[in-house]
Amino acid sequence: MTAFKGALLCAASALALSIVPALAQPAVTAGNLEKLGNFQQTGTPEMVHVPQTGAKAEAIKKTLAKIKLPRGFKIALYALVPDARHIAVGPQGVVTFVGTRKSKVWSVTDRAKARVADEVKEFAPSIEFKIPNGVCFSKDGFLFIAEQNRVLVFPAAEFFYEGADVAAFQVVKQGELIPPEEESFNHTSRVCRVGPDDKLYITLGQPFNVPAQEKLDLYKRVGIGGMIRMSREGKDREVFAWGVRNSVGMDINPKDKSVWFTDNQVDGMGDDIPPGELNRADKPGMNFGFPYFGGGKTRTTEYKDQTPPADVTFPQVEMVAHAADLGMTFYTGKTFPQKYRGGIFSAQHGSWNRTVPVGARVMFTSLKEDGTADKTEPFAEGWLTENGEYLGRPVDVAQLPDGSILVSDDLAGALYRISYEGR
Amino acid sequence: MLIRPSPWPVEDGRQGEGHGGVHLHDRLCGDPRPNPPLFAGRELSCALGTWLVFTLLVSQFSPACAAGSIATGRQKALQCQTCHGLDGLSKLPEAPNLGGQPEPYLVKSLNDYRKGVRKNEMMSVVVQQLSDQDVADLAAFYAAIEVTTKPPK
């Protein structure tokens, strides 16, 4: 225990040391965004670098030795990334960006192509981010960052990220993603994707466990408790899906263009209900049942006397209750066995208030010929110990160009790489 | 007014005790077990409710508050770990550090959530399943975490 504490302290002080120089710099101002939009320098010098070796890395490697995977797969530490949340792999394969629920976005580079990152540094330090959780790329290399209440775009991010100043523009201005009075710390991690229609899709969690009736009109109109889409320039905004509680994971099936998303379900109804969800939207305007349903077909106490909408779509997959299904990705690689191709990898963060914790693993869902869900099974597990302690909490899954997958973990502060090494 | 009948539901077996008031021990520790002999059956009048007296009583009562079990509290804290950590350090931007917090403060905070006088989307949900004993155990565990600090120069 003491040794563990020591390791933790050591890692923390190393981190603190590397952050100190940044504190001495001039304050980041809103004017910087304007300057960056005009390709002007802001005078923001040093970027924070995260050391990649030391006691913390060794402790995580020990944890990874306990992770169970199907035969032939291997998991390894890819990078130490503090508070690592959602992942966006650059389409050129140069760099991977990782969002956080705090104020930083990290760039992760494997310069030696050793399948291990050798550099992790702060992205766009001249911009002040607020909960920059959602990161996603367009095929032509524009990086989108969906914050709590703003969306930014970084053209040629894989090129500009090397310096402190990066080309940056606002897609949705501060305070216009949701009405500012609806801002909350709760359920405010956005995720995004650029769809095959070249539109930007963003999930918007609603801030309550179950919202009050008088909130529903506004939420329906704005798309809170749902998913919105808009042009890459932020125009033609529409509510794409509604009746969602708090989706923190989304991807689009390249085969049939259907939009799939996870949803976190109602708390306080006991350990075993309602189930978590993996949903499929094959057209705009679908209603997924919240707040009338709290997950699956479980009615919420608050709305039990009301008639739910007739056109509710139920989930494709009901996951174990309270496991917190978050980030997901379709597997389009060729290096995993046939079984996994075209299926979905999704992360379960792990329950936060269940009497006996569940989750903290990576799930795999295969699809049927018609594009609906077939079977769901655990793929990588072992971050939850037998006595209920979390050694890590997976957040998101993303695919690298070589067909391996990355898993982020915001408890350990790391990215893991899972590869198939054969029989 | 510090000492007054609590709006908190009366625990089993308490109703028959015949006291009009609520023991300070219970107010501070939220613990339904019998009071220490010194204070058994004693009804504290409102006149005592000055801050000075309050402070003195807190210090006198502290040992009684330790009735919570640290080991049991650690087990129960598995439900708290994703936000507050088993090391007592916050794991989420919106969660506070609990390691080394004063025990009476932890008890009061949890009970305030249980009573609904303090509200939070997450805390108000999780306290529903806590008993007085759970509160005492959790407070004992988090208060027992040793914390050292290094203030900036």
Side-chain angles (χ1 to χ4, degrees):
Chain A
M1 191 63 197
T2 319
F4 177 67
K5 233 186 206 168
L8 212 74
L9 276 176
C10 178
S13 60
L15 193 68
L17 276 178
S18 60
I19 285 167
V20 167
L23 294 176
Q25 303 310 330
V28 175
T29 62
N32 280 351
L33 201 51
E34 204 170 302
K35 284 184 184 167
L36 295 172
N38 293 322
F39 298 94
Q40 290 169 340
Q41 292 183 328
T42 61
T44 309
E46 280 304 294
M47 302 152 97
V48 174
H49 280 67
V50 181
Q52 292 297 303
T53 52
K56 190 179 170 188
E58 294 314 309
I60 290 175
K61 284 175 190 168
K62 271 191 195 153
T63 297
L64 293 184
K66 297 174 194 149
I67 302 303
K68 276 186 269 166
L69 289 153
R71 238 179 127 118
F73 286 93
K74 187 189 134 196
I75 187 165
L77 178 62
Y78 185 75
L80 293 180
V81 183
D83 314 302
R85 293 282 299 184
H86 285 69
I87 309 169
V89 176
Q92 296 182 58
V94 173
V95 55
T96 294
F97 292 95
V98 182
T100 70
R101 291 183 63 197
K102 292 184 177 171
S103 59
K104 290 197 192 321
V105 176
W106 301 102
S107 71
V108 177
T109 313
D110 167 17
R111 291 192 191 281
K113 296 293 170 199
R115 307 306 178 213
V116 177
D118 36 30
E119 183 189 86
V120 176
K121 66 184 179 189
E122 190 180 359
F123 174 64
S126 52
I127 294 173
E128 201 171 349
F129 291 108
K130 199 166 175 196
I131 318 187
N133 182 84
V135 290
C136 57
F137 262 108
S138 67
K139 281 205 173 100
D140 54 348
F142 287 61
L143 173 68
F144 291 85
I145 299 185
E147 296 177 86
Q148 178 184 41
N149 204 358
R150 178 174 69 172
V151 182
L152 299 177
V153 62
F154 301 85
E158 283 186 281
F159 171 74
F160 285 118
Y161 88 98
E162 294 283 16
D165 288 331
V166 293
F169 301 89
Q170 295 187 86
V171 178
V172 179
K173 284 189 193 138
Q174 182 65 45
E176 293 184 5
L177 189 59
I178 58 168
E181 57 275 17
E182 295 298 324
E183 281 177 17
S184 162
F185 252 123
N186 205 33
H187 301 170
T188 198
S189 301
R190 320 292 180 205
V191 291
C192 63
R193 283 289 186 275
V194 178
D197 52 0
D198 210 31
K199 286 190 171 166
L200 182 61
Y201 291 71
I202 299 170
T203 61
L204 297 179
Q206 60 75 41
F208 299 97
N209 185 27
V210 178
Q213 181 85 45
E214 57 264 30
K215 288 281 181 191
L216 298 189
D217 283 343
L218 171 73
Y219 285 6
K220 240 181 222 171
R221 197 167 68 240
V222 180
I224 294 177
M227 188 189 299
I228 57 169
R229 76 172 169 185
M230 62 187 78
S231 76
R232 285 170 51 166
E233 294 74 38
K235 298 204 171 74
D236 306 321
R237 172 175 172 161
E238 62 184 318
V239 177
F240 179 77
W242 200 71
V244 182
R245 183 170 172 273
N246 178 35
S247 170
V248 197
M250 180 226 309
D251 200 17
I252 298 168
N253 188 348
K255 243 184 194 167
D256 64 6
K257 323 287 185 227
S258 57
V259 179
W260 290 66
F261 60 93
T262 57
D263 194 10
N264 288 274
Q265 301 309 336
V266 172
D267 292 307
M269 298 181 76
D271 275 0
D272 302 317
I273 55 162
E277 292 183 357
L278 179 59
N279 292 289
R280 177 179 191 246
D282 55 3
K283 55 180 186 289
M286 291 167 70
N287 186 332
F288 290 87
F290 184 77
Y292 303 94
F293 296 91
K297 290 181 179 165
T298 307
R299 295 295 304 267
T300 52
T301 319
E302 292 82 348
Y303 288 81
K304 71 175 180 334
D305 297 328
Q306 299 198 30
T307 312
D311 58 347
V312 165
T313 301
F314 291 104
Q316 289 281 316
V317 180
E318 291 193 352
M319 301 282 193
V320 60
H322 307 297
D325 296 276
L326 300 188
M328 55 168 285
T329 192
F330 278 90
Y331 185 75
T332 59
K334 300 212 161 47
T335 51
F336 283 10
Q338 188 62 41
K339 161 181 175 178
Y340 298 99
R341 298 182 199 171
I344 299 167
F345 286 102
S346 59
Q348 288 187 336
H349 202 207
S351 61
W352 65 276
N353 64 350
R354 202 174 179 276
T355 318
V356 179
V358 291
R361 55 190 177 172
V362 178
M363 308 295 290
F364 175 74
T365 301
S366 55
L367 301 191
K368 292 181 195 149
E369 269 304 305
D370 66 357
T372 58
D374 192 4
K375 289 195 189 90
T376 299
E377 63 187 26
F379 175 72
E381 54 189 336
W383 284 280
L384 182 56
T385 66
E386 265 175 27
N387 46 23
E389 188 176 348
Y390 286 111
L391 303 177
R393 301 185 76 204
V395 174
D396 195 18
V397 189
Q399 190 185 310
L400 283 174
D402 72 353
S404 60
I405 58 173
L406 292 179
V407 177
S408 59
D409 179 336
D410 64 348
L411 177 61
L415 293 187
Y416 314 125
R417 177 175 174 268
I418 300 178
S419 56
Y420 185 68
E421 307 289 325
R423 298 138 285 282
Chain B
M1 200 75 60
L2 285 165
I3 313 299
R4 57 173 186 266
S6 168
W8 192 235
V10 177
E11 292 284 335
D12 288 346
R14 286 266 302 276
Q15 272 160 323
E17 284 179 40
H19 312 309
V22 172
H23 299 154
L24 185 58
H25 171 83
D26 292 2
R27 300 271 308 146
L28 289 173
C29 307
D31 189 332
R33 284 167 300 182
N35 292 291
L38 178 60
F39 298 96
R42 185 141 160 198
E43 194 174 328
L44 293 163
S45 79
C46 295
L48 286 175
T50 64
W51 274 113
L52 181 63
V53 172
F54 182 74
T55 313
L56 281 170
L57 285 173
V58 168
S59 60
Q60 281 185 8
F61 270 91
S62 286
C65 289
S69 153
I70 294 172
T72 316
R74 189 194 179 281
Q75 191 58 34
K76 290 175 179 167
L78 292 173
Q79 289 176 69
C80 318
Q81 65 175 324
T82 60
C83 304
H84 300 289
L86 280 178
D87 55 3
L89 296 177
S90 164
K91 305 297 171 216
L92 291 182
E94 64 267 40
N97 295 335
L98 294 185
Q101 276 283 10
E103 195 169 339
Y105 175 78
L106 288 168
V107 171
K108 180 183 186 303
S109 300
L110 285 170
N111 283 336
D112 283 351
Y113 284 123
R114 292 170 78 194
K115 283 179 260 182
V117 294
R118 193 174 167 189
K119 284 183 179 150
N120 171 278
E121 272 306 312
M122 298 171 96
M123 287 307 298
S124 301
V125 169
V126 287
V127 294
Q128 289 168 16
Q129 51 189 333
L130 298 184
S131 67
D132 287 349
Q133 186 62 50
D134 293 335
V135 168
D137 293 341
L138 288 168
F141 168 65
Y142 277 112
I145 294 174
E146 279 181 42
V147 172
T148 55
T149 67
K150 196 175 164 192
K153 291 219 172 82

